[in-house]
Every structure is written in C-alpha cells, then in structure tokens.
Amino acid sequence: MPTLAHAAARLPADSSAPQPGFSRSVRHPGPPEPERVVSLAGPARTLEFTLPAGLSLRDAIATALADAGIEGATVRFENLAVSAHHFLMPALPVDDQHAAFYSAPHAIEQGTLIEYGCATYGRRDGEPFVHCHAIWRGRDGQRQGGHLMTDQTIVGADCSARAWGLADATMLTRYDPETNFTLFYPTRLDAGGDAGPVNGDAGARVILARIRPDQDLTMAVEQACQAHGVERAIVRGSVGSIIGAEFEDGRVLDDRATEILVRAGEVVRTDHGLRARLDIGLVNPAGQVWEGVLARGRNPVLICFELVLEEQ
C-alpha cells in the first residue's frame, strides 16, 4: 500500500522477460509510467541496534539510523512489545480516484506483541519518515496485520533490530500521478556521507528499488538484481501491496487490497537465469493473515512495492 518513496537503473516494462497477463488486475486513475522497476545501488551500510522502550517506533528507528549516517534503508525486527499500537488496514477505495485505500485508524492501548515487522526508512518533506508493515498478536492471541502508524506506536520494551541501507541515497516521497498517491522513490543524495560499510562484508552492495503496479513481484525482484549485475542477493526490505495472492502450494486469495512484507527471500542464479523466492506475510481487508511462498509470475503489485536487496 502507499507510503505517505536520478535513479541509477531504470527498467522499462519491455526491457526484460515479458510480464505475464494476470487474472487479477485493477485500473489506476493516471497513465502508467514507462519505468516499471526503478532502482539504485551503493556500498552497503548495515547496523544492529536497539529500539528503546518509551520512544515511538518512528523516532526509535530514525534516531539510530541518523546517528549511524544511514540515509535510506530497511529495518527488520521481531517480538516487539508495544505499549500503544496504532494501525491501518488495507481497504477498498471510496471513490474512483484510487485503486485501493486504507481503513479508518485502529488503536490498541496495550497487550500487543509484534511478531515480525519490516520498515522502509526515508524522508518526507525533509523529515525522517518510516513506512512499516507488520504481523502481530493481541492480548487475546488473535493474529492480525497491517500498516503501523509509527509516530503513534510506542515501543513497550527494548527490542533488537537490524538495518540495511545506504549513506548517499534515500527513499524520498514524491507524488505519483499513476496511482494518485505520494510514494517512496529511490533518490541519490547530492552530499552523501562515507560510503563504506558500518558493519558487514567489505564490497557488498545494497539496492534500493521501487516497483510499480502490475509487475509480478517475484520477477521484478529478479529484474532489480539484473539491472545491477547482482548474481545472488537476500531480500532485506519488503513493504508494499499485491492484488490478492497465489502461493506455490496452490492456495489463492482472490482479493484486491492487501498489505504484505517478505518474511524471507533470496535471489540466486540458476540454469534458467536469476530466480527469486519470496516467503511473505499478508493481511487482507478482513484482517486475515496469509503466509507462504509466492507463485512466480502470478502476483501483480497493487500500488507499489519498496524493495531493499543485499548483495551476497
């Protein structure tokens, strides 16, 4: 779903293997942009840090990454207790100006444990901005998921987190006429910091990418690697939406609006070229959580997908 995102690599829709026709599709209000997968790459910066109790999730992430000189990144965490939990759910559009939208805000004041979450870190109107999807359990044990309102969700107890990103590039919000949303876009900064890694293997690269609607998510991840000559990568960042879902095991979610994140993902070189495998968590407008490996070629992006890859 949308974020309230001089690319180094731009892949037109016909510059790689053809995208499949989809059984599930939606119409967007504006004309499609020719560049369907936009990305840039640079030397990796990685960071292990603590989300401290008492801060909003936004401030906990932004403070740590700013101190480390990381401008654009993804952050992953597990088993995060929150003392105040504010979130949105995916929803059908209320007018013809959007292909999908958000629910009204929801709030749970205590008792929520975030099982796992992934956040994109960038800038909006010159200020740090964090777009986060997560799966959680309430005090009643029920699983749910959606879009965290990170400025109002409060860390309840110290929790470890990891970040992968770049020092000289960020995810910057920009109005997108095609979808009529303001979305993250990978953007090179004019005055970046030292491009060396904070931690991790010297020479490794990170790719920041934005995938537009109607691109198969798995194949678009492969395209982002191809654009930068990456033969093997781990999917670190994974916030966005797809139209329903089809899984490798044959399950089909026939829905329009979803919020998803990748639980685990990789790209490897095979005899048939680059191949990605994406094990995702997803929530639909009814609040149901679906998990599993996506079927390649059958899962179109809905609004956008923010992708961060770490070269191996």
Side-chain angles (χ1 to χ4, degrees):
M1 294 292 285
T3 65
L4 286 165
H6 170 58
R10 294 170 179 253
L11 289 178
D14 61 353
S15 69
S16 183
Q19 289 288 322
F22 296 110
S23 60
R24 304 180 312 283
S25 63
V26 301
R27 181 181 297 276
H28 292 276
E33 292 286 341
E35 296 83 20
R36 308 311 291 168
V37 181
V38 184
S39 64
L40 55 79
R45 278 184 173 267
T46 64
L47 180 70
E48 296 186 16
F49 65 102
T50 297
L51 301 168
L55 290 183
S56 70
L57 184 58
R58 179 196 63 188
D59 292 348
I61 290 172
T63 299
L65 270 59
D67 288 346
I70 299 176
E71 296 289 348
T74 190
V75 174
R76 302 187 76 92
F77 52 86
E78 297 179 354
N79 299 318
L80 170 65
V82 293
S83 58
H85 181 205
H86 293 253
F87 62 96
L88 305 171
M89 302 281 290
L92 296 177
V94 296
D95 54 35
D96 61 358
Q97 298 303 304
H98 302 91
F101 212 71
Y102 287 126
S103 71
H106 297 267
I108 303 173
E109 290 308 317
Q110 57 183 347
T112 300
L113 179 70
I114 308 294
E115 290 188 1
Y116 58 92
C118 187
T120 305
Y121 171 74
R123 296 182 184 178
R124 180 184 180 187
D125 299 328
E127 298 296 326
F129 189 76
V130 177
H131 177 208
C132 182
H133 290 177
I135 304 296
W136 58 82
R137 287 186 186 272
R139 187 161 42 181
D140 59 1
Q142 182 177 349
R143 299 184 82 210
Q144 199 172 12
H147 169 110
L148 299 189
M149 301 172 71
T150 60
D151 59 332
Q152 300 176 54
T153 295
I154 307 301
V155 178
D158 288 2
C159 180
S160 60
R162 292 194 68 188
W164 296 262
L166 298 175
D168 66 345
T170 191
M171 296 292 269
L172 190 68
T173 59
R174 179 187 303 179
Y175 176 69
D176 177 56
E178 179 178 352
T179 62
N180 196 28
F181 282 110
T182 298
L183 304 172
F184 267 141
Y185 201 91
T187 304
R188 190 77 67 185
L189 299 175
D190 292 333
D194 175 17
V198 176
N199 292 303
D201 297 331
R205 291 181 295 167
V206 158
I207 296 172
L208 303 183
R210 182 270 187 86
I211 302 168
R212 292 187 182 276
D214 285 329
Q215 306 304 293
D216 175 70
L217 180 56
T218 303
M219 295 173 67
V221 171
E222 298 163 1
Q223 286 181 269
C225 284
Q226 178 185 345
H228 297 279
V230 171
E231 296 289 300
R232 185 178 180 88
I234 295 178
V235 178
R236 299 298 191 186
S238 54
V239 179
S241 58
I242 57 177
I243 305 171
E246 292 190 40
F247 295 93
E248 276 192 346
D249 61 11
R251 289 176 297 145
V252 177
L253 171 63
D254 189 12
D255 231 318
R256 173 187 285 197
T258 70
E259 299 274 13
I260 81 166
L261 66 161
V262 175
R263 298 192 297 173
E266 64 176 355
V267 185
V268 298
R269 171 66 64 180
T270 74
D271 292 342
H272 303 287
L274 291 177
R275 288 294 183 267
R277 184 179 189 273
L278 305 178
D279 184 344
I280 72 154
L282 171 154
V283 62
N284 68 3
Q288 299 168 322
V289 175
W290 292 58
E291 294 170 321
V293 177
L294 289 179
R296 183 178 186 270
R298 300 204 291 274
N299 288 285
V301 170
L302 173 57
I303 302 297
C304 71
F305 196 87
E306 301 151 12
L307 173 69
V308 179
L309 295 162
E310 182 187 29
E311 183 179 25
Q312 299 296 292

